[in-house]
Amino acid sequence: VVVSGVPREDMACFDNEFDDAVREGTLVHFQTGALEVLSDEGRVSGLRCSPMERKAKGEEGWNSPVPFLRYRHSGEPFIIEADMIVASIGQATDMEGFESVQNGSSWLQVDRNFRVRGYDNLFGGGDAIRVDLITTAVGHGRKAAEAIDAFVNGEPMPGNVYQEVTKARNQDILYFLHTPPAQRSMIEPEVVKGNHDELLQPLTGEQVRSESERCMSCGLCFDCKQCVSFCPQEAVSRFRDNPAGEKVYTDYSKCVGCHICSLVCPSGYIQMGMGEGL
């Protein structure tokens, strides 16, 4: 059973996840507010609820950006029996104990090295600076660790190298065959009732390999040899020892800046410039 204080259109959830829950037999009480958790001999026994209705125009909170605050309790309370209740009413970070370093903000204010502004020896990241994904927090932690290492060893803070995103307009997409993405299969809802199996099945090993082959290596060289083949001056050649990260070499004494290598590069890896020493 799901208790929602707002109607379906105001629920903060993904459509496919909501539809999956309904297919699995989940009963949803829309515009229903929780009043009290009931207990019996120290154990949860139910949830006292009441209907919710939209506030009238001009009433406090009627146009709040938070959907739940646009509604108020109305009607007779009722009880939903339950032996377990999971509260899912929003996401926020408990910053208790950090008030003195928040600088009046709800979060920690950090610089590009994740050092808290105004403090040389305090670093932060993840949900302490904004609610985001776990992978984002891992990235913050890695960059903060590099900065902490530099700070402890008395070295300069790491530079923040900007990685420009390669757009499709900078790629020769006609080089790639159009391959539709793999689709995950669904199983019957009855199969997953009463257990922890997933309704949406994972990709098979073969599908995963097929998906990896769809990668267009945006902004990266994947050794297609297009530049070597099309260079009219034979200025581009492959490295014989093929050092890590380097596939081809440009002899600038032969290059005339015709841009052909850049135009035929499928991934947008080649950027035109004057070259080192010129």
Side-chain angles (χ1 to χ4, degrees):
V1 176
V2 172
V3 175
S4 171
V6 297
R8 172 67 187 92
E9 58 269 21
D10 285 335
M11 289 182 69
C13 62
F14 293 109
D15 291 340
N16 64 309
E17 293 183 349
F18 177 86
D19 294 340
D20 289 347
V22 172
R23 277 197 291 267
E24 291 180 45
T26 300
L27 174 63
V28 184
H29 291 273
F30 294 110
Q31 288 186 236
T32 300
L35 297 175
E36 179 187 7
V37 175
L38 305 178
S39 63
D40 182 15
E41 297 182 354
R43 300 179 65 88
V44 171
S45 62
L47 185 68
R48 187 188 304 277
C49 305
S50 74
M52 302 281 285
E53 66 178 8
R54 185 67 186 261
K55 293 179 179 178
K57 184 176 181 179
E59 192 174 351
E60 183 180 359
W62 72 275
N63 61 345
S64 171
V66 180
F68 179 77
L69 298 181
R70 303 173 198 156
Y71 297 81
R72 56 182 169 82
H73 293 282
S74 66
E76 290 295 323
F78 61 95
I79 296 174
I80 298 176
E81 295 184 355
D83 55 14
M84 178 184 295
I85 296 176
V86 178
S88 179
I89 56 176
Q91 291 180 312
T93 301
D94 183 3
M95 300 297 291
E96 184 178 356
F98 290 90
E99 295 85 358
S100 62
V101 297
Q102 288 180 243
N103 298 319
S105 172
S106 301
W107 316 92
L108 294 182
Q109 302 298 306
V110 299
D111 60 18
R112 66 182 186 180
N113 291 303
F114 295 91
R115 179 159 52 183
V116 178
R117 299 187 186 280
Y119 298 86
D120 291 336
N121 60 348
L122 183 61
F123 297 79
D127 287 354
I129 63 175
R130 69 173 183 269
V131 175
D132 211 316
L133 302 175
I134 293 177
T135 50
T136 302
V138 171
H140 291 175
R142 176 175 178 174
K143 292 183 178 180
E146 293 174 348
I148 292 171
D149 181 69
F151 172 77
V152 170
N153 289 289
E155 300 173 354
M157 288 288 105
N160 187 22
V161 180
Y162 173 70
Q163 298 292 335
E164 184 176 356
V165 177
T166 299
K167 306 291 185 180
R169 63 175 177 268
N170 297 324
Q171 296 181 254
D172 182 10
I173 60 176
L174 295 178
Y175 179 88
F176 303 95
L177 295 176
H178 175 70
T179 307
Q183 300 295 326
R184 297 170 65 181
S185 61
M186 302 281 291
I187 60 177
E188 293 299 322
E190 288 72 18
V191 178
V192 300
K193 290 181 179 179
N195 56 54
H196 296 287
D197 293 342
E198 291 289 342
L199 189 67
L200 185 62
Q201 296 296 289
L203 297 177
T204 64
E206 183 178 349
Q207 286 177 311
V208 171
R209 286 189 292 272
S210 176
E211 281 295 282
S212 68
E213 293 172 356
R214 296 177 63 242
C215 175
M216 296 169 62
S217 297
C218 303
L220 299 174
C221 175
F222 60 93
D223 199 20
C224 69
K225 307 179 185 65
Q226 289 282 90
C227 53
V228 177
S229 300
F230 282 90
C231 179
Q233 301 298 117
E234 297 184 350
V236 184
S237 58
R238 299 185 73 250
F239 273 108
R240 291 183 179 179
D241 55 355
N242 198 22
E246 298 289 344
K247 301 292 185 182
V248 296
Y249 167 77
T250 301
D251 184 346
Y252 290 105
S253 66
K254 297 180 180 179
C255 177
V256 295
C258 65
H259 287 229
I260 290 179
C261 59
S262 176
L263 293 174
V264 300
C265 178
S267 63
Y269 171 71
I270 298 177
Q271 303 295 318
M272 298 304 298
M274 291 300 295
E276 184 178 354
L278 297 179

